[in-house]
Amino acid sequence: MKKIAMGCGIFLVLVIGSVTLLFYILTRPKYRDVATEKPFSEILSQQLTTKRPTLILNYDLPRYEDYSYHLEDGNGFGMNSNLETLAEIPIGTAVQIDKIEIHTNSVSGTSSAYLFGTVYSKEKQETYAFQYTWGNYHLLYEDKPYWTFDLAFWQDEPLTEKYFIDLP
């Protein structure tokens, strides 16, 4: 009887462990470096210049601790949020983009393109490592999903092409 109970216990532990591992694998966010793909390849490691006022916001949920601030230019959620504004970045400020990734949330299935970079505030005498979301993924009612990109803080005109970039 003890051997049967012991065997059932081991089996139960293995099943629970396998289900937990499977759940973790299926629900973890996925990401992919897209720095070599257009339109991202045109801005990586380039010194960009702000063409409109931007804000550096304190962000509680950064993708990476090294890039713990959010750069907001009016295209995202930050301008009218309750997030703390740390610095106002004026027009003509140099911005450096270090890496670019597409993240797909496994639970909701949403995908976002994240640009990670740095900007120096002359007023605050501080460098801020930020994340910035750019692009819209068009999936619903599309035979071949694609990306479009709104006017970003360094551009004079928005991109008008459709970009077919694979998700992670």
Side-chain angles (χ1 to χ4, degrees):
M1 193 65 158
K2 280 186 170 181
K3 289 183 180 181
I4 293 174
M6 183 94 141
C8 287
I10 291 172
F11 178 74
L12 187 62
V13 167
L14 289 174
V15 167
I16 291 172
S18 298
V19 168
T20 303
L21 180 62
L22 184 64
F23 180 76
Y24 169 75
I25 290 170
L26 292 176
T27 60
R28 70 175 184 209
K30 296 169 183 67
Y31 66 92
R32 186 169 76 83
D33 184 335
V34 291
T36 59
E37 298 184 42
K38 284 191 172 189
F40 306 116
S41 61
E42 298 166 359
I43 59 172
L44 184 69
S45 300
Q46 299 294 320
Q47 185 166 319
L48 307 174
T49 304
T50 57
K51 304 271 177 131
R52 60 181 190 226
T54 56
L55 302 175
I56 296 295
L57 304 174
N58 194 9
Y59 191 49
D60 294 338
L61 301 169
R63 295 287 168 191
Y64 298 107
E65 286 186 27
D66 293 347
Y67 299 94
S68 57
Y69 302 108
H70 176 72
L71 187 138
E72 179 59 53
D73 66 352
N75 282 337
F77 61 87
M79 288 289 194
N80 298 318
S81 71
N82 292 330
L83 295 176
E84 174 189 9
T85 300
L86 300 175
E88 293 182 19
I89 306 300
I91 295 171
T93 302
V95 176
Q96 178 77 32
I97 303 298
D98 303 323
K99 67 180 181 175
I100 304 166
E101 297 174 345
I102 289 180
H103 289 237
T104 298
N105 185 324
S106 295
V107 176
S108 68
T110 59
S111 295
S112 300
Y114 287 93
L115 283 62
F116 300 95
T118 55
V119 62
Y120 179 75
S121 169
K122 289 181 183 177
E123 176 189 352
K124 301 283 183 168
Q125 298 291 303
E126 189 168 344
T127 299
Y128 295 95
F130 65 84
Q131 64 183 29
Y132 173 76
T133 55
W134 185 44
N136 301 300
Y137 186 59
H138 302 271
L139 173 66
L140 296 177
Y141 311 112
E142 298 295 337
D143 292 331
K144 185 159 171 71
Y146 62 92
W147 289 84
T148 58
F149 296 93
D150 296 328
L151 183 67
F153 63 87
W154 68 88
Q155 296 175 308
D156 291 318
E157 297 177 6
L159 301 177
T160 57
E161 294 179 49
K162 292 179 181 179
Y163 293 86
F164 299 94
I165 303 167
D166 293 330
L167 297 180

